[in-house]
Amino acid sequence: KGCWECSDSPCDKDMLAPGKIKMRAFVQCVKEDGIQKFIGYIEQNEKDGIVYHRAGVMGDYDLSNEKEVLNLLRQIQ
């Protein structure tokens, strides 16, 4: 169903290439916490004003490393 089901995930292929920080973190989150919790994180964060993408600019999850993205997803300060 998704990259999170693969034992090699996150790999260095295609959408999970090393420079794809946000996608790598999202896949790791789903792998560790499950798809329903991931969806819940995204939905709650959106209610709190944290968005995936803003037209013409970077989104709130466009951070410098995977740990920062995971912390933001999970609202870990």
Side-chain angles (χ1 to χ4, degrees):
K1 294 180 184 178
C3 294
W4 53 87
E5 293 183 344
C6 180
S7 62
D8 292 335
S9 176
C11 65
D12 293 337
K13 298 176 187 172
D14 303 323
M15 70 180 214
L16 295 180
K20 305 288 186 175
I21 294 167
K22 178 171 46 180
M23 292 308 300
R24 291 174 65 85
F26 285 3
V27 167
Q28 182 177 341
C29 182
V30 173
K31 191 170 191 168
E32 292 174 359
D33 298 354
I35 190 74
Q36 292 305 317
K37 276 196 169 188
F38 171 75
I39 291 168
Y41 296 150
I42 294 289
E43 290 176 341
Q44 184 60 52
N45 286 349
E46 187 171 358
K47 288 178 188 173
D48 294 340
I50 300 167
V51 296
Y52 175 79
H53 179 76
R54 298 179 195 278
V57 297
M58 294 173 62
D60 294 321
Y61 296 105
D62 292 310
L63 301 171
S64 62
N65 64 61
E66 293 170 45
K67 184 174 179 162
E68 289 179 355
V69 176
L70 288 167
N71 288 343
L72 180 60
L73 270 171
R74 295 169 175 151
Q75 288 296 305
I76 298 171
Q77 304 300 323

